[in-house]
Amino acid sequence: MTDRDQPATMERILQEITATSRRLEGMDAPISSLTLETKSIRSDIASFQSQVTGLEHRVGTLETHISTIQDRDQDLSYLASKVTDLEDRRRDNIRLLGIPENEEGPDVQAFLSSVIPKLTSLSFDPPLEFQRAHRVAAKRPDGASSPRPITACLLRHTRTRQLLQVAQNHRPFRVEKYEVRITADYSKDTNERRKAFLALKPRLRQLEMK
């Protein structure tokens, strides 16, 4: 390179430096904007992570509550089954179905002492004695077509067993113009489960199955 070419070369280098500087200055704004967006994204990620942590905590709390409720349901089911079992152990109680409303008059025990021997063709000596006897439910449900059952607690368990054995092999009983069934005084839950088999009972009797 000659001395005459050096000024031109320097001039070109200065021009390139100036152009590069301007390009870099033009890139400052996008870089600054990108930096702000990055910070915003990081902030959003941190906020999302915080929300996820909060949701995980709430889900954990809900799972604990659900587990507690399930345990309580199991306890309630167990207690309900125990209550049903205790109610079904009312060994001296019988239930009479089909006796018309008000047929018993004011003295239910005297009525049963008179009508049960007629129904069952059994003679009792001494006469039947009861600890208590009454219509089930204080008021007949509106629209009910069948009379309310009568529940009675006999004084002697041997009489209860005797009546239920006769009733099991001979039902319903008929007296005057109505039919009466005598059953054990099961709990409401057990009675509901027994009703589910009513349609099968005639077929089971045909097959002589108990």
Side-chain angles (χ1 to χ4, degrees), residues 134-152:
H134 63 276
R135 286 276 184 185
V136 174
K139 183 179 179 182
R140 188 179 184 186
D142 295 335
S145 58
S146 58
R148 294 170 297 160
I150 291 178
T151 296

Side-chain angles (χ1 to χ4, degrees), residues 21 41 49 52 57 86 92-93 95 102 148 151 170:
S21 177
I41 291 172
Q49 290 176 335
V52 168
H57 175 71
L86 289 172
D92 296 322
N93 281 19
R95 180 171 290 212
N102 302 319
R148 294 170 297 160
T151 296
H170 185 293

Side-chain angles (χ1 to χ4, degrees), residues 40 58 69 106 200:
S40 176
R58 290 163 66 183
I69 291 171
L200 293 175

Side-chain angles (χ1 to χ4, degrees), residues 67-149:
S67 177
T68 301
I69 291 171
Q70 289 174 340
D71 290 341
R72 289 177 180 174
D73 286 344
Q74 291 178 353
D75 291 341
L76 289 174
S77 297
Y78 173 76
L79 291 173
S81 66
K82 293 296 290 182
V83 169
T84 297
D85 181 64
L86 289 172
E87 289 181 344
D88 287 340
R89 291 177 184 271
R90 296 176 292 198
R91 304 193 322 158
D92 296 322
N93 281 19
I94 61 171
R95 180 171 290 212
L96 294 92
L97 311 173
I99 296 178
E101 293 281 333
N102 302 319
E103 183 76 12
E104 69 277 15
D107 191 339
V108 181
Q109 295 186 25
F111 169 78
L112 294 180
S113 295
S114 172
V115 77
I116 287 178
K118 296 178 183 177
L119 289 173
T120 61
S121 299
L122 295 174
S123 57
F124 299 99
D125 187 20
L128 289 177
E129 297 177 279
F130 300 90
Q131 296 184 45
R132 57 187 176 276
H134 63 276
R135 286 276 184 185
V136 174
K139 183 179 179 182
R140 188 179 184 186
D142 295 335
S145 58
S146 58
R148 294 170 297 160

